[in-house]
Amino acid sequence: RQELLDKLERSLKEETYKLSPLHQFKVYEPKERVIHCPPFYPDKVLHHCLMNVVKHLFYSKFTHDTFNCIEGRGIITAKNKIESIIRAHPDWYVYLSDVHHYYPSIKHSILKQQLRRVIKCKKTIALFDAIIDNHWDSIDEDGEKRGIAIGIYPDQVLANLHLTPHDHRVKEELHAEYIRFMDNEAYFGTKEDCKRYAEFDKKEKEALGLQLNKDARIVPVRCGFDLIGYVFYPTHTRLRKRIKLNMKRRAKQLERQHVSDETYKQQMASFYGWCKHANCRHLMKTIMKDKLELFTQKDMEAKRLSDFRNKKWFGMDHDRFVSTFIYNDRRLYENDFTVLEMEEHTFRGKKGIVVHLQIDGEDYYTITTSGSLVERFPRAWESVGNEPFIARLQMQQSQSDMNHKYPILV
């Protein structure tokens, strides 16, 4: 391995490195696409090393309204921003647009021009130029190459960079509430604003040699709109119909095959990931049925007291095992328990409590750093004069996030 890496380093220093031909294959979900990929070595190694060095330069050019192929700004971050906009303005409209065959339509000359605004090192520019020129889909009437590969890491970031000047004009000239997820765009505002945004967007795309899809439209937010896999309403968020159907088919297929719980969880994990960020609790119960517990129930974690600063709480022996997942123990939700003793401590820089409980006469010790419990246990303990009291845990819906619940003491 070291010999191969040394050889790659020498060829880069001597500027003799040549990219390998790409191989291609098709994917059919979420729609049919042709993917062009480099061989694993050495091109993929070079691509990742190159991006590790310069990606912060690209990220610094992106606006906060740009998502996809940016660390920390994926589908869920975009979804949360959309929800915050439409829930604050349920009477607004949204203008939705996306580019027809975006990757195959990108002009190499325009992309290279954008690249040179970010990077000034000639050797680095030469590497990126070679990556861009290694694939093209068509040549237009002026003899200019169009199209970049979908399956190459640098090309994904470059495709995002291609529309970055457009993002800045939207924010600085239009002052619009706006998000862009690669070539999918959503502009929010009044009906008149959205008409103005539509005209602006069409001119911008024509200037870049891109063509908008025919389904670009203006719709009232209250009627719901489909974007990035979800259907958004001011009051709730649903899953896209096609994803729901695929989820249902996969679940039935796995049931017929009588697969193990571990295999079921692996095969359905991506669908559970889609559902848990939307208002899909009933959908998950309907499709997964009793298998839903594989995702919602976590194993109780037990640790030795000696793992926590070698302290003897309540005179317990260091080898005593205690629970550190109090909010997953169903017994504390389904039965009354007695709080006998409680102490506050800090665990790895986080405020927490150690509690000695009793359930049906059985001693139970737990450590928790749950914010709601850390606040409520001491308050309850103080209100009864630091004496034992009877309580039960209950899950409460968060007012700020409809997808989140937290435990409280009752």
Side-chain angles (χ1 to χ4, degrees), residues 85-127:
I85 294 172
I86 65 176
R87 287 175 184 175
H89 305 281
D91 56 334
W92 272 7
Y93 286 72
V94 58
Y95 165 64
L96 302 169
S97 73
D98 66 316
V99 177
H100 180 69
H101 292 163
Y102 177 53
Y103 275 78
S105 302
I106 294 175
K107 285 187 176 183
H108 284 197
S109 61
I110 297 178
L111 182 58
K112 289 178 181 179
Q113 184 181 357
Q114 297 294 344
L115 175 66
R116 281 156 175 76
R117 293 180 179 178
V118 181
I119 297 173
K120 305 303 179 183
C121 171
K122 292 183 179 179
K123 289 187 178 181
T124 309
I125 289 174
L127 274 176

Side-chain angles (χ1 to χ4, degrees), residues 7 46 58 109 130 151 165 168 171 179 192:
K7 183 179 177 182
L46 171 63
F58 292 108
S109 61
H168 284 280
K171 297 303 291 184
I179 76 145
E192 291 72 22

Side-chain angles (χ1 to χ4, degrees), residues 14-119:
E14 297 167 2
E15 300 183 48
T16 59
Y17 183 80
K18 300 293 182 184
L19 293 167
S20 306
L22 305 177
H23 68 272
Q24 69 177 49
F25 61 93
K26 282 188 178 182
V27 296
Y28 298 92
E29 285 293 337
K31 61 183 178 182
E32 185 176 330
R33 288 192 179 100
V34 179
I35 309 296
H36 292 85
C37 275
F40 176 74
Y41 181 85
D43 287 2
K44 281 190 177 179
V45 175
L46 171 63
H47 291 165
H48 282 266
C49 289
L50 182 62
M51 293 307 299
N52 285 342
V53 174
V54 302
K55 64 184 177 184
H56 69 282
L57 298 175
F58 292 108
Y59 292 173
S60 67
K61 301 297 180 183
F62 298 146
T63 69
H64 291 293
D65 308 301
T66 307
F67 300 88
N68 196 6
C69 300
I70 306 172
E71 291 178 5
R73 284 195 255 168
I75 287 178
I76 301 307
T77 316
K79 168 194 149 304
N80 292 339
K81 178 159 187 178
I82 293 170
E83 288 177 340
S84 66
I85 294 172
I86 65 176
R87 287 175 184 175
H89 305 281
D91 56 334
W92 272 7
Y93 286 72
V94 58
Y95 165 64
L96 302 169
S97 73
D98 66 316
V99 177
H100 180 69
H101 292 163
Y102 177 53
Y103 275 78
S105 302
I106 294 175
K107 285 187 176 183
H108 284 197
S109 61
I110 297 178
L111 182 58
K112 289 178 181 179
Q113 184 181 357
Q114 297 294 344
L115 175 66
R116 281 156 175 76
R117 293 180 179 178
V118 181
I119 297 173

Side-chain angles (χ1 to χ4, degrees), residues 320-335:
R320 180 68 183 243
F321 282 91
V322 295
S323 162
T324 56
F325 274 95
I326 185 173
Y327 46 85
N328 282 326
D329 191 342
R330 298 310 308 171
R331 290 182 300 168
L332 303 181
Y333 295 88
E334 297 164 359
N335 302 286

Side-chain angles (χ1 to χ4, degrees), residues 241-352:
K241 185 176 181 180
R242 186 181 69 246
I243 298 175
K244 287 192 287 188
L245 293 175
N246 289 341
M247 178 181 175
K248 189 174 181 179
R249 291 191 195 101
R250 178 72 60 81
K252 285 188 175 181
Q253 181 185 14
L254 295 174
E255 287 174 9
R256 287 195 299 267
Q257 294 174 354
H258 302 289
V259 299
S260 65
D261 287 349
E262 183 179 355
T263 302
Y264 186 93
K265 189 173 180 179
Q266 290 174 349
Q267 294 290 316
M268 295 295 291
S270 61
F271 294 109
Y272 176 74
W274 279 103
C275 289
K276 74 176 184 177
H277 294 287
N279 303 105
C280 296
R281 186 171 297 275
H282 180 69
L283 175 69
M284 290 191 289
K285 287 181 179 178
T286 304
I287 294 178
M288 296 184 182
K289 301 171 185 174
D290 56 331
K291 297 287 187 180
L292 181 59
E293 294 183 0
L294 297 174
F295 299 93
T296 57
Q297 295 294 331
K298 295 182 180 178
D299 295 332
M300 295 293 294
E301 181 181 352
K303 294 189 177 183
R304 293 184 186 275
L305 283 180
S306 54
D307 292 340
F308 300 97
R309 294 190 176 183
N310 295 321
K311 181 174 176 59
K312 278 191 173 184
W313 283 294
F314 321 128
M316 290 187 293
D317 185 76
H318 275 193
D319 289 333
R320 180 68 183 243
F321 282 91
V322 295
S323 162
T324 56
F325 274 95
I326 185 173
Y327 46 85
N328 282 326
D329 191 342
R330 298 310 308 171
R331 290 182 300 168
L332 303 181
Y333 295 88
E334 297 164 359
N335 302 286
D336 290 336
F337 55 81
T338 305
V339 180
L340 298 176
E341 299 172 283
M342 188 202 69
E343 291 185 23
E344 297 182 62
H345 288 278
T346 302
F347 303 99
R348 297 170 186 170
K350 197 171 183 181
K351 189 177 179 181

